[in-house]
Every structure is written in C-alpha cells, then in structure tokens.
Amino acid sequence: AIFVIGVLYLGLSGATDIVLIGSIAFLCSLFLDYVTSICDAVLQVHYKMGQAMVALILGRLVNVIALWYFITHYISGVDAIFPLLIITISGALVTAIVSIIFVIRKLDWHWHINTKLMGQILWVSVPFGLINIINNQLSVCMMDSFKVNIRIL
C-alpha cells in the first residue's frame, strides 16, 4: 500500500515519465512476485514444487525469448527502456498466471471471510512487518553495516 501511495504521489507531483513508468513497472513486478510466492507456498504444502518450477521456467523462457527478439530487432538507447520494462513484467506475469492455474486446479476455493481470524493474523504479523521495515530502512541508511535482529517467541 505504501508503494501505491508513492506512485500516486509521483504522478501528482509531476515526476518525469520515465520515473513514473519505472515505478509502476516495479510496483507490478513486486505484486506479481508476491502472488507467485504465495502460490509457491501453497504448491509446496501439497508437494507440488515441480509445478512451481514449471511456472518459473516458463516465465524465464518468456523473458529470454522476448529479450532475444528485442535485441535482434530493435536499437538501443533511451527508447529501449520501456520495452525492456515490459519484457521483465511479461515474464513475471507468465510465472504468476501459470502458478495461479496450478493452485486453482489443486485447491477447492471457498469464499468466506473470517474476520476474527483475519484480525488475529494481522495482530500477530505487526511485529514482523515492523522488523522488516526497520531492517530495510537501516540497510539503506547504514549500507548494511547494522541490522536489527530480534527473536520473537
């Protein structure tokens, strides 16, 4: 959510097109990687890591083929930035879609939101989120010379 707010701020503050497009591409990449990692966890629980590997290989294959086509048919320079971002996102998109297909085929989906369970999960995850934010900010500011390590029981 914070990154979405940052992208909206960039759009409203008059950032250059390349910064805005790059930020949106990075946001898409993060989202697709999160979806893929969740699907990988579900497949791992059901001992289907072969399917997760197939999804990853298909995504990387799309990256390699699209990159080869781009390199052999287009010139480099500033005009090459946008297509290269699209190539990167296309591979992540293929990986996420194939992973979702495998998960949907494996699981029986029931849409029932348990607000009590969601609240418990949110409350338990707050310390982990804070530690993650602190570690990321300190690693950026201190060049990885100091990390906050905490043992949560």
Side-chain angles (χ1 to χ4, degrees):
I2 293 173
F3 202 75
V4 172
I5 293 169
V7 170
L8 288 174
Y9 174 77
L10 285 174
L12 296 175
S13 67
T16 62
D17 290 342
I18 193 66
V19 171
L20 188 59
I21 291 170
S23 299
I24 291 170
F26 185 67
L27 176 64
C28 292
S29 178
L30 279 179
F31 175 74
L32 293 172
D33 284 343
Y34 284 139
V35 168
T36 301
S37 66
I38 291 168
C39 291
D40 286 348
V42 171
L43 292 171
Q44 184 178 8
V45 166
H46 293 283
Y47 302 106
K48 300 290 184 183
M49 286 309 294
Q51 292 178 347
M53 183 184 68
V54 167
L56 185 63
I57 288 172
L58 287 174
R60 298 307 179 246
L61 193 60
V62 166
N63 273 345
V64 169
I65 291 171
L67 190 58
W68 173 81
Y69 181 80
F70 178 76
I71 289 171
T72 58
H73 289 85
Y74 294 99
I75 58 173
S76 63
V78 177
D79 296 334
I81 293 173
F82 183 69
L84 288 174
L85 292 173
I86 297 299
I87 288 169
T88 304
I89 293 173
S90 66
L93 182 64
V94 168
T95 302
I97 289 172
V98 173
S99 296
I100 289 170
I101 289 170
F102 286 144
V103 168
I104 287 174
R105 285 181 34 203
K106 182 64 186 164
L107 297 180
D108 183 26
W109 292 93
H110 296 287
W111 289 100
H112 175 71
I113 297 176
N114 184 347
T115 55
K116 183 178 178 184
L117 177 64
M118 296 297 281
Q120 290 173 343
I121 291 172
L122 178 64
W123 182 250
V124 169
S125 67
V126 167
F128 295 106
L130 291 174
I131 290 168
N132 190 17
I133 291 169
I134 291 170
N135 277 335
N136 287 331
Q137 293 303 315
L138 287 176
S139 66
V140 169
C141 296
M142 310 265 313
M143 305 291 185
D144 285 333
S145 64
F146 176 75
K147 289 271 188 172
V148 173
N149 294 314
I150 190 166
R151 182 175 179 193
I152 299 177
L153 299 175

